[in-house]
C-alpha cells in the first residue's frame, strides 16, 4: 500500500503567495529545509530505502526524528511510503516525482559544496 497526499495543483499562471503565513507552500519548504528533511531527500535520491536503511544512512538522526520527518514529507507528497504486511511490517520509502523534482537542486547544492571543500574539511 502506497501512501501520500497530493497537493492542489496550481493553474498555469497562478502562484501561491509564499510570503503569506497561511500559504501551503511554506509548510513544504519548512519540511524540506528542516534539519533532517534535506538529508532524507538526498538519501533517497538514488533508490528507495527501508526505514532502518535510512536511519543508518543519516548519521545522528534519532528514530523519532526520522519518523516525524518522513511523516511530514509523505504528507507533503514528496516521499511515498509502502508497507508490506509481514511480521514485523516492512516499510519502504522513496521519492515521488515531486520529491525528485524538489530534491534535484538540493543534491546539486550538496555536490557543489563538497566539491569545494578541501579533503581535510570534508571529513
Amino acid at each position: 500500500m502506497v501512501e501520500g497526499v497530493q497537493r492542489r495543483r496550481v493553474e498555469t499562471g497562478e502562484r501561491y503567495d509564499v510570503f503569506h503565513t497561511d500559504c501551503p507552500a511554506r509548510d513544504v519548504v519548512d519540511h524540506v529545509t528542516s534539519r533532517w528533511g534535506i538529508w532524507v531527500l538526498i538519501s533517497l535520491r538514488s533508490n528507495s530505502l527501508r526505514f532502518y536503511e535510512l536511519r543508518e544512512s543519516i548519521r545522528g538522526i534519532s528514530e523519532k526524528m526520522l519518523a516525524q520527518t518522513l511523516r511530514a514529507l509523505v504528507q507533503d507528497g514528496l516521499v511515498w511510503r509502502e508497507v508490506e504486511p509481514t511480521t514485523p511490517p516492512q516499510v519502504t520509502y522513496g521519492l515521488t516525482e515531486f520529491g525528485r523534482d524538489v530534491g534535484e537542486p538540493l543534491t546539486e547544492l550538496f555536490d557543489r559544496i563538497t566539491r569545494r571543500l578541501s579533503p581535510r574539511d570534508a571529513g
Side-chain angles (χ1 to χ4, degrees), residues 5-18:
V5 174
Q6 289 291 343
R7 292 285 183 185
R8 177 179 76 86
R9 281 275 216 221
V10 177
E11 297 299 320
T12 304
E14 182 185 354
R15 296 192 50 102
Y16 285 111
D17 181 4
V18 295

Side-chain angles (χ1 to χ4, degrees), residues 68-122:
Q68 287 177 357
T69 302
L70 285 166
R71 194 175 306 118
L73 295 174
V74 167
Q75 184 176 358
D76 291 338
L78 295 162
V79 171
W80 55 261
R81 176 182 189 265
E82 184 175 14
V83 180
E84 294 180 39
T86 58
T87 305
Q90 295 181 357
V91 184
T92 305
Y93 296 89
L95 294 180
T96 63
E97 183 180 336
F98 181 35
R100 284 189 300 277
D101 192 38
V102 169
E104 187 177 321
L106 298 175
T107 298
E108 199 174 300
L109 174 65
F110 177 76
D111 290 344
R112 285 182 184 191
I113 290 169
T114 56
R115 279 195 307 264
R116 291 289 193 142
L117 293 175
S118 67
R120 63 182 158 81
D121 293 337

Side-chain angles (χ1 to χ4, degrees), residues 33-84:
T33 61
S34 70
R35 178 171 183 191
W36 300 111
I38 190 169
W39 300 116
V40 169
L41 293 176
I42 289 172
S43 292
L44 292 172
R45 70 184 169 202
S46 299
N47 55 1
S48 57
L49 296 171
R50 305 242 292 293
F51 184 88
Y52 78 90
E53 293 171 322
L54 262 172
R55 191 185 68 227
E56 292 295 316
S57 72
I58 306 170
R59 298 211 172 112
I61 192 169
S62 68
E63 284 189 28
K64 177 183 175 182
M65 284 310 304
L66 179 57
Q68 287 177 357
T69 302
L70 285 166
R71 194 175 306 118
L73 295 174
V74 167
Q75 184 176 358
D76 291 338
L78 295 162
V79 171
W80 55 261
R81 176 182 189 265
E82 184 175 14
V83 180
E84 294 180 39

